Amino acid sequence: MSLDLFTATHADAGEQIGAGTWLFRQRALPEVAALAGGLRLILAQAPWRHLITPGGHRMAVAMTNCGTLGWHSDEAGYRYQPVDPLSGHPWPAMPPAFAELARQAAALAGYPDFHPDACLINRYRPGAGLSLHQDRNEQDHGQPVVSVSLGMEARFLWGGLQRGQTALKLPLYHGDILVWGGPDRLRFHGIAPLQGPPHPEWGLKRINLTFRRAR
């Protein structure tokens, strides 16, 4: 972990998007090789899958998890659980490089006590997106969310605390880290349908690592 990336104060190291939200451009780039290696190990144990929403719809975004808890969706609802329903085994352990990057980014954004126990990993292909939603399945909404972008450029939809409020369209690039919490923790957010040229190394996909403290 290149800890020197995180020695500056958050006020002069990133762009403030909201009262509790900071964007750190390309801060994950020195750790991309470690993140890619960890991702390969995770996928060997818990492959990509398209979950079913409580309404019976197949999600366009493929996903998996690592950590002591994993996020799951089916006709019974949205929830965190310790066991991968596909394998019947615990979710893969969170790689040290993943957890350390999330902790350091959160501290840089002003959240020094963040220790994630879940990492939701989403894979977007061209045309896939994620509608505006709130992250409410975690027990402690005082804990932030740390999001790491890899691969193709995406347009992050950053809405308000009410569903109908106009959403900011924020471009996210390979290596960007977005951290939100505090008064922004329950903002509606999503991803516009992925479009644009392939990433020169990651091809026609965007991978998003979303770190949370679920319990």
Side-chain angles (χ1 to χ4, degrees):
M1 174 61 59
S2 303
L3 294 180
D4 59 315
L5 289 177
F6 297 95
T7 55
T9 64
H10 64 275
D12 58 13
E15 177 184 355
Q16 189 169 15
I17 305 301
T21 305
W22 291 86
L23 172 61
F24 305 104
R25 292 289 188 194
Q26 301 185 325
R27 286 279 170 166
L29 287 184
E31 304 307 321
V32 165
L35 297 177
L39 181 60
R40 286 192 292 271
L41 294 176
I42 293 164
L43 290 172
Q45 300 175 62
W48 297 118
R49 74 285 310 270
H50 292 269
L51 299 181
I52 302 299
T53 70
H57 301 289
R58 179 179 183 269
M59 295 180 66
V61 178
M63 76 163 302
T64 187
N65 296 276
C66 68
T68 57
L69 292 167
W71 187 84
H72 185 64
S73 172
D74 56 22
E75 290 87 348
Y78 305 118
R79 62 193 179 276
Y80 284 96
Q81 58 187 48
V83 173
D84 179 353
L86 292 187
S87 69
H89 299 298
W91 295 102
M94 189 181 302
F98 280 43
E100 183 65 10
L101 180 64
R103 285 194 295 266
Q104 292 289 342
L108 191 63
Y111 305 101
D113 299 318
F114 180 59
H115 299 282
D117 58 6
C119 177
L120 286 63
I121 307 171
N122 290 335
R123 184 193 68 191
Y124 297 81
R125 296 290 194 185
L130 197 61
S131 60
L132 287 170
H133 64 282
Q134 294 172 302
D135 293 337
R136 283 189 169 273
N137 298 127
E138 300 75 29
Q139 290 185 353
D140 183 2
H141 294 159
Q143 295 287 329
V145 175
V146 176
S147 174
V148 179
S149 294
L150 301 169
M152 288 177 63
E153 174 188 346
R155 289 176 295 159
F156 183 72
L157 305 177
W158 189 228
L161 296 174
Q162 305 297 324
R163 183 177 293 276
Q165 292 179 278
T166 301
L168 171 71
K169 293 182 179 180
L170 180 69
L172 294 179
Y173 305 102
H174 182 63
D176 286 352
I177 303 177
L178 186 66
V179 183
W180 69 91
D184 291 334
R185 176 60 178 77
L186 292 178
R187 278 182 177 265
F188 282 86
H189 58 281
I191 293 290
L194 197 67
Q195 59 183 334
H199 186 270
E201 295 178 2
W202 290 68
L204 283 168
K205 63 178 177 292
R206 173 189 184 250
I207 304 295
N208 178 228
L209 312 176
T210 306
F211 298 91
R212 306 176 188 180
R213 182 73 187 180
R215 296 288 184 269

PDB file of all heavy atoms in Angstrom, residues 13-39:
ATOM      1  N   ALA A  13      -6.481  17.369  -0.853  1.00  0.00           N
ATOM      2  CA  ALA A  13      -6.132  16.191  -1.627  1.00  0.00           C
ATOM      3  C   ALA A  13      -7.256  15.722  -2.541  1.00  0.00           C
ATOM      4  O   ALA A  13      -7.043  14.847  -3.357  1.00  0.00           O
ATOM      5  CB  ALA A  13      -5.743  15.043  -0.690  1.00  0.00           C
ATOM      6  N   GLY A  14      -8.434  16.272  -2.396  1.00  0.00           N
ATOM      7  CA  GLY A  14      -9.552  15.807  -3.190  1.00  0.00           C
ATOM      8  C   GLY A  14     -10.526  16.924  -3.483  1.00  0.00           C
ATOM      9  O   GLY A  14     -10.336  18.079  -3.107  1.00  0.00           O
ATOM     10  N   GLU A  15     -11.574  16.534  -4.175  1.00  0.00           N
ATOM     11  CA  GLU A  15     -12.627  17.480  -4.561  1.00  0.00           C
ATOM     12  C   GLU A  15     -13.859  17.199  -3.712  1.00  0.00           C
ATOM     13  O   GLU A  15     -14.354  16.075  -3.680  1.00  0.00           O
ATOM     14  CB  GLU A  15     -12.950  17.295  -6.045  1.00  0.00           C
ATOM     15  CG  GLU A  15     -14.072  18.163  -6.559  1.00  0.00           C
ATOM     16  CD  GLU A  15     -14.404  17.857  -8.007  1.00  0.00           C
ATOM     17  OE1 GLU A  15     -13.698  17.033  -8.629  1.00  0.00           O
ATOM     18  OE2 GLU A  15     -15.396  18.428  -8.500  1.00  0.00           O
ATOM     19  N   GLN A  16     -14.354  18.213  -3.018  1.00  0.00           N
ATOM     20  CA  GLN A  16     -15.536  18.033  -2.182  1.00  0.00           C
ATOM     21  C   GLN A  16     -16.786  18.138  -3.045  1.00  0.00           C
ATOM     22  O   GLN A  16     -17.033  19.149  -3.693  1.00  0.00           O
ATOM     23  CB  GLN A  16     -15.578  19.056  -1.050  1.00  0.00           C
ATOM     24  CG  GLN A  16     -16.676  18.768  -0.042  1.00  0.00           C
ATOM     25  CD  GLN A  16     -16.579  19.598   1.223  1.00  0.00           C
ATOM     26  OE1 GLN A  16     -15.859  20.596   1.253  1.00  0.00           O
ATOM     27  NE2 GLN A  16     -17.299  19.203   2.260  1.00  0.00           N
ATOM     28  N   ILE A  17     -17.588  17.059  -3.037  1.00  0.00           N
ATOM     29  CA  ILE A  17     -18.794  16.992  -3.854  1.00  0.00           C
ATOM     30  C   ILE A  17     -20.023  17.381  -3.050  1.00  0.00           C
ATOM     31  O   ILE A  17     -20.982  17.934  -3.573  1.00  0.00           O
ATOM     32  CB  ILE A  17     -18.963  15.575  -4.439  1.00  0.00           C
ATOM     33  CG1 ILE A  17     -17.702  15.154  -5.205  1.00  0.00           C
ATOM     34  CG2 ILE A  17     -20.174  15.502  -5.349  1.00  0.00           C
ATOM     35  CD1 ILE A  17     -17.340  16.078  -6.342  1.00  0.00           C
ATOM     36  N   GLY A  18     -20.013  17.083  -1.769  1.00  0.00           N
ATOM     37  CA  GLY A  18     -21.112  17.418  -0.876  1.00  0.00           C
ATOM     38  C   GLY A  18     -20.575  17.633   0.510  1.00  0.00           C
ATOM     39  O   GLY A  18     -19.369  17.534   0.755  1.00  0.00           O
ATOM     40  N   ALA A  19     -21.465  17.907   1.455  1.00  0.00           N
ATOM     41  CA  ALA A  19     -21.026  18.200   2.814  1.00  0.00           C
ATOM     42  C   ALA A  19     -20.213  17.061   3.416  1.00  0.00           C
ATOM     43  O   ALA A  19     -19.276  17.298   4.181  1.00  0.00           O
ATOM     44  CB  ALA A  19     -22.244  18.494   3.690  1.00  0.00           C
ATOM     45  N   GLY A  20     -20.562  15.812   3.053  1.00  0.00           N
ATOM     46  CA  GLY A  20     -19.828  14.667   3.581  1.00  0.00           C
ATOM     47  C   GLY A  20     -19.216  13.800   2.505  1.00  0.00           C
ATOM     48  O   GLY A  20     -18.951  12.617   2.737  1.00  0.00           O
ATOM     49  N   THR A  21     -18.955  14.371   1.327  1.00  0.00           N
ATOM     50  CA  THR A  21     -18.549  13.582   0.166  1.00  0.00           C
ATOM     51  C   THR A  21     -17.274  14.132  -0.458  1.00  0.00           C
ATOM     52  O   THR A  21     -17.175  15.336  -0.715  1.00  0.00           O
ATOM     53  CB  THR A  21     -19.663  13.578  -0.897  1.00  0.00           C
ATOM     54  OG1 THR A  21     -20.874  13.112  -0.292  1.00  0.00           O
ATOM     55  CG2 THR A  21     -19.313  12.683  -2.069  1.00  0.00           C
ATOM     56  N   TRP A  22     -16.326  13.235  -0.721  1.00  0.00           N
ATOM     57  CA  TRP A  22     -15.047  13.621  -1.323  1.00  0.00           C
ATOM     58  C   TRP A  22     -14.714  12.695  -2.477  1.00  0.00           C
ATOM     59  O   TRP A  22     -14.936  11.482  -2.409  1.00  0.00           O
ATOM     60  CB  TRP A  22     -13.928  13.571  -0.285  1.00  0.00           C
ATOM     61  CG  TRP A  22     -14.073  14.636   0.749  1.00  0.00           C
ATOM     62  CD1 TRP A  22     -14.804  14.594   1.912  1.00  0.00           C
ATOM     63  CD2 TRP A  22     -13.491  15.940   0.695  1.00  0.00           C
ATOM     64  NE1 TRP A  22     -14.715  15.781   2.581  1.00  0.00           N
ATOM     65  CE2 TRP A  22     -13.909  16.617   1.868  1.00  0.00           C
ATOM     66  CE3 TRP A  22     -12.646  16.585  -0.204  1.00  0.00           C
ATOM     67  CZ2 TRP A  22     -13.517  17.921   2.147  1.00  0.00           C
ATOM     68  CZ3 TRP A  22     -12.252  17.880   0.065  1.00  0.00           C
ATOM     69  CH2 TRP A  22     -12.684  18.543   1.230  1.00  0.00           C
ATOM     70  N   LEU A  23     -14.178  13.293  -3.541  1.00  0.00           N
ATOM     71  CA  LEU A  23     -13.729  12.547  -4.720  1.00  0.00           C
ATOM     72  C   LEU A  23     -12.213  12.681  -4.846  1.00  0.00           C
ATOM     73  O   LEU A  23     -11.678  13.787  -4.858  1.00  0.00           O
ATOM     74  CB  LEU A  23     -14.407  13.093  -5.978  1.00  0.00           C
ATOM     75  CG  LEU A  23     -13.916  12.547  -7.322  1.00  0.00           C
ATOM     76  CD1 LEU A  23     -14.135  11.042  -7.423  1.00  0.00           C
ATOM     77  CD2 LEU A  23     -14.619  13.266  -8.472  1.00  0.00           C
ATOM     78  N   PHE A  24     -11.537  11.542  -4.916  1.00  0.00           N
ATOM     79  CA  PHE A  24     -10.083  11.506  -5.037  1.00  0.00           C
ATOM     80  C   PHE A  24      -9.729  10.895  -6.386  1.00  0.00           C
ATOM     81  O   PHE A  24      -9.845   9.681  -6.582  1.00  0.00           O
ATOM     82  CB  PHE A  24      -9.470  10.707  -3.891  1.00  0.00           C
ATOM     83  CG  PHE A  24      -9.880  11.215  -2.530  1.00  0.00           C
ATOM     84  CD1 PHE A  24     -10.828  10.540  -1.775  1.00  0.00           C
ATOM     85  CD2 PHE A  24      -9.343  12.385  -2.019  1.00  0.00           C
ATOM     86  CE1 PHE A  24     -11.229  11.015  -0.536  1.00  0.00           C
ATOM     87  CE2 PHE A  24      -9.740  12.872  -0.783  1.00  0.00           C
ATOM     88  CZ  PHE A  24     -10.679  12.185  -0.038  1.00  0.00           C
ATOM     89  N   ARG A  25      -9.334  11.750  -7.299  1.00  0.00           N
ATOM     90  CA  ARG A  25      -9.058  11.320  -8.662  1.00  0.00           C
ATOM     91  C   ARG A  25      -7.787  10.452  -8.720  1.00  0.00           C
ATOM     92  O   ARG A  25      -6.732  10.838  -8.230  1.00  0.00           O
ATOM     93  CB  ARG A  25      -8.872  12.530  -9.583  1.00  0.00           C
ATOM     94  CG  ARG A  25     -10.133  13.359  -9.808  1.00  0.00           C
ATOM     95  CD  ARG A  25     -11.131  12.637 -10.675  1.00  0.00           C
ATOM     96  NE  ARG A  25     -12.278  13.495 -11.048  1.00  0.00           N
ATOM     97  CZ  ARG A  25     -13.397  13.011 -11.560  1.00  0.00           C
ATOM     98  NH1 ARG A  25     -13.545  11.711 -11.769  1.00  0.00           N
ATOM     99  NH2 ARG A  25     -14.400  13.838 -11.865  1.00  0.00           N
ATOM    100  N   GLN A  26      -7.942   9.270  -9.320  1.00  0.00           N
ATOM    101  CA  GLN A  26      -6.844   8.350  -9.649  1.00  0.00           C
ATOM    102  C   GLN A  26      -6.039   7.908  -8.427  1.00  0.00           C
ATOM    103  O   GLN A  26      -4.930   7.408  -8.571  1.00  0.00           O
ATOM    104  CB  GLN A  26      -5.921   8.984 -10.698  1.00  0.00           C
ATOM    105  CG  GLN A  26      -6.640   9.339 -11.991  1.00  0.00           C
ATOM    106  CD  GLN A  26      -5.705   9.846 -13.063  1.00  0.00           C
ATOM    107  OE1 GLN A  26      -4.727  10.528 -12.768  1.00  0.00           O
ATOM    108  NE2 GLN A  26      -5.986   9.515 -14.305  1.00  0.00           N
ATOM    109  N   ARG A  27      -6.623   8.022  -7.241  1.00  0.00           N
ATOM    110  CA  ARG A  27      -5.894   7.647  -6.024  1.00  0.00           C
ATOM    111  C   ARG A  27      -5.651   6.151  -5.913  1.00  0.00           C
ATOM    112  O   ARG A  27      -4.772   5.718  -5.182  1.00  0.00           O
ATOM    113  CB  ARG A  27      -6.660   8.133  -4.796  1.00  0.00           C
ATOM    114  CG  ARG A  27      -6.568   9.622  -4.596  1.00  0.00           C
ATOM    115  CD  ARG A  27      -5.260   9.985  -3.927  1.00  0.00           C
ATOM    116  NE  ARG A  27      -5.044  11.417  -3.933  1.00  0.00           N
ATOM    117  CZ  ARG A  27      -4.136  12.031  -3.190  1.00  0.00           C
ATOM    118  NH1 ARG A  27      -3.362  11.335  -2.396  1.00  0.00           N
ATOM    119  NH2 ARG A  27      -3.987  13.330  -3.258  1.00  0.00           N
ATOM    120  N   ALA A  28      -6.431   5.354  -6.623  1.00  0.00           N
ATOM    121  CA  ALA A  28      -6.251   3.909  -6.545  1.00  0.00           C
ATOM    122  C   ALA A  28      -5.267   3.374  -7.582  1.00  0.00           C
ATOM    123  O   ALA A  28      -4.938   2.176  -7.550  1.00  0.00           O
ATOM    124  CB  ALA A  28      -7.597   3.211  -6.709  1.00  0.00           C
ATOM    125  N   LEU A  29      -4.775   4.211  -8.476  1.00  0.00           N
ATOM    126  CA  LEU A  29      -3.928   3.713  -9.563  1.00  0.00           C
ATOM    127  C   LEU A  29      -2.707   2.926  -9.086  1.00  0.00           C
ATOM    128  O   LEU A  29      -2.387   1.879  -9.662  1.00  0.00           O
ATOM    129  CB  LEU A  29      -3.500   4.866 -10.468  1.00  0.00           C
ATOM    130  CG  LEU A  29      -4.580   5.454 -11.383  1.00  0.00           C
ATOM    131  CD1 LEU A  29      -3.978   6.523 -12.294  1.00  0.00           C
ATOM    132  CD2 LEU A  29      -5.242   4.365 -12.221  1.00  0.00           C
ATOM    133  N   PRO A  30      -1.988   3.368  -8.043  1.00  0.00           N
ATOM    134  CA  PRO A  30      -0.823   2.578  -7.618  1.00  0.00           C
ATOM    135  C   PRO A  30      -1.186   1.195  -7.085  1.00  0.00           C
ATOM    136  O   PRO A  30      -0.303   0.334  -6.973  1.00  0.00           O
ATOM    137  CB  PRO A  30      -0.202   3.447  -6.513  1.00  0.00           C
ATOM    138  CG  PRO A  30      -0.671   4.833  -6.798  1.00  0.00           C
ATOM    139  CD  PRO A  30      -2.060   4.653  -7.322  1.00  0.00           C
ATOM    140  N   GLU A  31      -2.446   0.977  -6.757  1.00  0.00           N
ATOM    141  CA  GLU A  31      -2.863  -0.301  -6.185  1.00  0.00           C
ATOM    142  C   GLU A  31      -3.637  -1.173  -7.159  1.00  0.00           C
ATOM    143  O   GLU A  31      -4.148  -2.231  -6.772  1.00  0.00           O
ATOM    144  CB  GLU A  31      -3.723  -0.045  -4.941  1.00  0.00           C
ATOM    145  CG  GLU A  31      -3.065   0.812  -3.882  1.00  0.00           C
ATOM    146  CD  GLU A  31      -1.698   0.275  -3.471  1.00  0.00           C
ATOM    147  OE1 GLU A  31      -1.545  -0.957  -3.358  1.00  0.00           O
ATOM    148  OE2 GLU A  31      -0.792   1.097  -3.251  1.00  0.00           O
ATOM    149  N   VAL A  32      -3.700  -0.772  -8.445  1.00  0.00           N
ATOM    150  CA  VAL A  32      -4.527  -1.504  -9.399  1.00  0.00           C
ATOM    151  C   VAL A  32      -4.069  -2.953  -9.547  1.00  0.00           C
ATOM    152  O   VAL A  32      -4.892  -3.875  -9.605  1.00  0.00           O
ATOM    153  CB  VAL A  32      -4.548  -0.777 -10.755  1.00  0.00           C
ATOM    154  CG1 VAL A  32      -5.090  -1.689 -11.843  1.00  0.00           C
ATOM    155  CG2 VAL A  32      -5.411   0.479 -10.669  1.00  0.00           C
ATOM    156  N   ALA A  33      -2.788  -3.193  -9.608  1.00  0.00           N
ATOM    157  CA  ALA A  33      -2.301  -4.567  -9.765  1.00  0.00           C
ATOM    158  C   ALA A  33      -2.716  -5.427  -8.573  1.00  0.00           C
ATOM    159  O   ALA A  33      -3.158  -6.576  -8.744  1.00  0.00           O
ATOM    160  CB  ALA A  33      -0.783  -4.575  -9.931  1.00  0.00           C
ATOM    161  N   ALA A  34      -2.602  -4.892  -7.357  1.00  0.00           N
ATOM    162  CA  ALA A  34      -3.002  -5.639  -6.167  1.00  0.00           C
ATOM    163  C   ALA A  34      -4.513  -5.861  -6.157  1.00  0.00           C
ATOM    164  O   ALA A  34      -4.989  -6.943  -5.775  1.00  0.00           O
ATOM    165  CB  ALA A  34      -2.559  -4.899  -4.910  1.00  0.00           C
ATOM    166  N   LEU A  35      -5.273  -4.861  -6.582  1.00  0.00           N
ATOM    167  CA  LEU A  35      -6.726  -5.005  -6.630  1.00  0.00           C
ATOM    168  C   LEU A  35      -7.127  -6.057  -7.662  1.00  0.00           C
ATOM    169  O   LEU A  35      -8.020  -6.883  -7.410  1.00  0.00           O
ATOM    170  CB  LEU A  35      -7.379  -3.667  -6.961  1.00  0.00           C
ATOM    171  CG  LEU A  35      -7.182  -2.544  -5.943  1.00  0.00           C
ATOM    172  CD1 LEU A  35      -7.828  -1.257  -6.449  1.00  0.00           C
ATOM    173  CD2 LEU A  35      -7.744  -2.910  -4.577  1.00  0.00           C
ATOM    174  N   ALA A  36      -6.473  -6.054  -8.820  1.00  0.00           N
ATOM    175  CA  ALA A  36      -6.792  -7.027  -9.863  1.00  0.00           C
ATOM    176  C   ALA A  36      -6.461  -8.442  -9.402  1.00  0.00           C
ATOM    177  O   ALA A  36      -7.216  -9.389  -9.661  1.00  0.00           O
ATOM    178  CB  ALA A  36      -6.039  -6.689 -11.142  1.00  0.00           C
ATOM    179  N   GLY A  37      -5.330  -8.595  -8.717  1.00  0.00           N
ATOM    180  CA  GLY A  37      -4.970  -9.910  -8.206  1.00  0.00           C
ATOM    181  C   GLY A  37      -5.956 -10.408  -7.164  1.00  0.00           C
ATOM    182  O   GLY A  37      -6.347 -11.585  -7.170  1.00  0.00           O
ATOM    183  N   GLY A  38      -6.378  -9.527  -6.272  1.00  0.00           N
ATOM    184  CA  GLY A  38      -7.379  -9.907  -5.289  1.00  0.00           C
ATOM    185  C   GLY A  38      -8.701 -10.267  -5.927  1.00  0.00           C
ATOM    186  O   GLY A  38      -9.381 -11.217  -5.510  1.00  0.00           O
ATOM    187  N   LEU A  39      -9.079  -9.525  -6.972  1.00  0.00           N
ATOM    188  CA  LEU A  39     -10.341  -9.790  -7.656  1.00  0.00           C
ATOM    189  C   LEU A  39     -10.326 -11.182  -8.305  1.00  0.00           C
ATOM    190  O   LEU A  39     -11.328 -11.908  -8.255  1.00  0.00           O
ATOM    191  CB  LEU A  39     -10.594  -8.712  -8.701  1.00  0.00           C
ATOM    192  CG  LEU A  39     -11.880  -8.813  -9.505  1.00  0.00           C
ATOM    193  CD1 LEU A  39     -13.096  -8.767  -8.593  1.00  0.00           C
ATOM    194  CD2 LEU A  39     -11.957  -7.697 -10.542  1.00  0.00           C
TER     195      LEU A  39
END
